[in-house]
Amino acid sequence: MNRFALALSTAIARITESALGPYQSAVVRIGFSATWLLFLLRELPHRQELYGPDGPWSWDLAEQLIAGNGAFTALIWSDSRIWFESVYGLAVLSSFLLLLGWRTRTMSVLFMVGVLSLQNRSIFMGDGGDNVLHLMCVYLVFTRCGQVWSLDARRARRENEARARGERVVDRVGPALWIVLGLMLIAVTGAGRLLEGDPVIPALLWAVWLGLGVWWTVGRLARTDQPRILLDVIGNIVHNGGLLVIMAEACLIYATAGWYKIQGTRWQDGTAVYYPLHLDYFSPWPALADALSSSATMVLLVTYGTVVVQVAFPFTLFNRRVKNVLLALMMTEHAVIAVVLGLPFFSLAMIAADAVFLPTPFLRRMGGRVSRARERLTARRDGPAPVPRTRDPEGAEETHVGFTA
């Protein structure tokens, strides 16, 4: 009983005292925001046909569908072209800022609004990658995904250094952003736009806005550390729960896909991979598809291997080495799908979802390599660093050793 109580208390302390998986949540944030940003930029010339007034799925059809399913989309509030361009621009901007990690909590909410607004406006324009992004954009709101590899982390580090020097730190951007978005939220709610349809997303928007207000007020006015500690514990619990849901969702996607494949006759006889390679819609490189499908043995191995990996992956989470091997295989498979079948954004979305399972040492090593590469590029751009001066031991005049910048 004492051992069980000790294990339970350790688990509770681990969940409440820290936001777990800072590198995993950061790479998921970067992966999904980059995927959506690249998609929006690629479809920029075709945005009106995909999600706007010029699309085959007209605004009237979208209004009828939204009235039936209650899905959230800001594009249903108006059919004007200016409003569409504003929402599309907001989606691009929020994706870019979330990628950089600037005000990640606020940008994650705006990122969710952009994804849901565009995808729910024309639900027949997406694929499996859009479905994954649709779910993950909601889960990201609950995570503290800016702890590392973000402008927020750099700002927090500089603020701590300033406080250590005794300087007074005042954040004016955060409160101003909170006030502007709050006024917009109040105006939209007052106009009755958020009262239509499913109440989950409107409730989430209000909860995040009020939570940020409480967080800033407590941090500014609390005289003791207890209120801040309590809010930090709540934030850690919400983050860890959101990260767990992301992991469970990724496992559910693979398990469902694998078990459904087992029931298909083409997957059972080992020929399923052959057919999509010969569809014109999924053949950007016909010669490459023909080369891959020319070997019956290769088709058989890839077909059965895909099923085995997808079905087995959720069970390998209990063995780190096996999990890492299957994770590498799945990411490689998605990279191949991106090239061979011409589905880059589906593959990027799945790789971003897989990244939540990457081991922390690997992510830290990759981050270190990126930092060193950036430092080398900066050094080449700025030229050689100045060499420190030396003073003559006799008190002579200072001299420069080596080359100066």
Side-chain angles (χ1 to χ4, degrees):
M1 185 63 183
N2 291 335
R3 183 176 301 178
F4 173 77
L6 179 61
L8 181 61
S9 62
T10 302
I12 293 175
R14 181 176 175 80
I15 294 173
T16 58
E17 291 179 357
S18 63
L20 303 177
Y23 293 94
Q24 286 79 3
S25 58
V27 76
V28 169
R29 180 200 85 229
I30 294 171
F32 281 110
S33 58
T35 300
W36 185 237
L37 177 62
L38 292 174
F39 174 79
L40 294 178
L41 293 178
R42 190 194 72 169
E43 301 298 343
L44 191 63
H46 315 290
R47 62 190 184 280
Q48 297 286 351
E49 292 78 12
L50 285 176
Y51 303 110
D54 299 336
W57 191 252
S58 65
W59 190 84
D60 292 333
L61 290 175
E63 186 180 31
Q64 295 177 33
L65 180 63
I66 297 302
N69 60 19
F72 173 86
T73 172
L75 289 177
I76 208 65
W77 299 347
S78 174
D79 60 349
S80 70
R81 192 176 297 270
I82 295 177
W83 177 245
F84 168 76
E85 296 293 350
S86 300
V87 174
Y88 199 93
L90 174 66
V92 173
L93 181 61
S94 61
S95 301
F96 178 69
L97 294 179
L98 184 63
L99 175 65
L100 298 180
W102 186 80
R103 307 288 171 174
T104 50
R105 182 69 70 183
T106 301
M107 288 305 117
S108 65
V109 175
L110 297 180
F111 176 75
M112 177 190 69
V113 170
V115 172
L116 297 183
S117 295
L118 292 173
Q119 289 189 355
N120 288 335
R121 166 63 175 81
S122 301
I123 62 173
F124 300 108
M125 296 298 178
D127 53 26
D130 290 333
N131 294 332
V132 176
L133 184 62
H134 194 102
L135 294 170
M136 296 301 179
C137 74
V138 180
Y139 303 151
L140 271 177
V141 175
F142 296 92
T143 63
R144 304 175 104 175
C145 53
Q147 299 178 88
V148 297
W149 299 342
S150 67
L151 296 179
D152 285 351
R154 186 180 69 173
R155 187 183 70 254
R157 183 172 61 252
R158 290 180 175 178
E159 289 178 354
N160 292 333
E161 293 173 354
R163 291 190 182 95
R165 295 191 298 267
E167 300 177 5
R168 185 170 179 265
V169 178
V170 179
D171 180 20
R172 294 184 176 87
V173 177
L177 190 63
W178 183 81
I179 292 173
V180 171
L181 294 178
L183 292 176
M184 295 174 60
L185 188 60
I186 293 172
V188 171
T189 304
R193 299 299 186 181
L194 292 181
L195 302 179
E196 304 171 355
D198 190 87
V200 174
I201 299 302
L204 180 59
L205 295 177
W206 274 104
V208 174
W209 184 73
L210 293 174
L212 289 175
V214 171
W215 193 285
W216 182 87
T217 303
V218 169
R220 188 69 181 270
L221 302 179
R223 297 182 178 180
T224 62
D225 293 336
Q226 281 75 14
R228 286 190 290 268
I229 293 174
L230 177 61
L231 291 179
D232 201 45
V233 168
I234 295 174
N236 292 335
I237 293 175
V238 172
H239 164 86
N240 294 331
L243 198 61
L244 179 62
V245 171
I246 293 176
M247 298 171 68
E249 187 67 44
C251 290
L252 184 62
I253 290 172
Y254 283 116
T256 304
W259 286 108
Y260 270 107
K261 286 182 174 65
I262 290 178
Q263 302 175 41
T265 56
R266 295 292 179 257
W267 291 96
Q268 293 174 6
D269 60 26
T271 62
V273 172
Y274 175 85
Y275 298 99
L277 293 175
H278 291 82
L279 294 175
D280 293 337
Y281 185 75
F282 296 111
S283 298
W285 316 100
L288 180 59
D290 292 339
L292 292 176
S293 61
S294 61
S295 172
T297 303
M298 177 64 69
V299 171
L300 179 69
L301 291 177
V302 174
T303 301
Y304 284 163
T306 300
V307 175
V308 170
V309 168
Q310 291 183 349
V311 172
F313 179 73
F315 301 100
T316 63
L317 298 181
F318 302 100
N319 188 303
R320 184 175 303 176
R321 293 183 178 179
V322 178
K323 181 262 295 182
N324 291 339
V325 172
L326 291 188
L327 192 60
L329 291 176
M330 288 192 301
M331 289 185 169
T332 303
E333 179 185 15
H334 289 306
V336 173
I337 290 174
V339 176
V340 177
L341 298 182
L343 296 172
F345 300 108
F346 165 77
S347 298
L348 284 175
M350 292 307 303
I351 290 174
D354 295 341
V356 74
F357 298 105
L358 288 173
T360 300
F362 170 78
L363 293 175
R364 296 184 66 176
R365 285 196 301 269
M366 293 299 296
R369 292 177 182 177
V370 172
S371 298
R372 289 190 293 271
R374 185 176 66 249
E375 291 173 358
R376 285 194 294 268
L377 290 175
T378 304
R380 292 178 181 177
R381 182 189 62 191
D382 298 339
V387 180
R389 297 180 177 183
T390 59
R391 181 177 294 275
D392 184 81
E394 300 296 330
E397 186 179 357
E398 289 182 340
T399 58
H400 291 284
V401 180
F403 296 99
T404 58

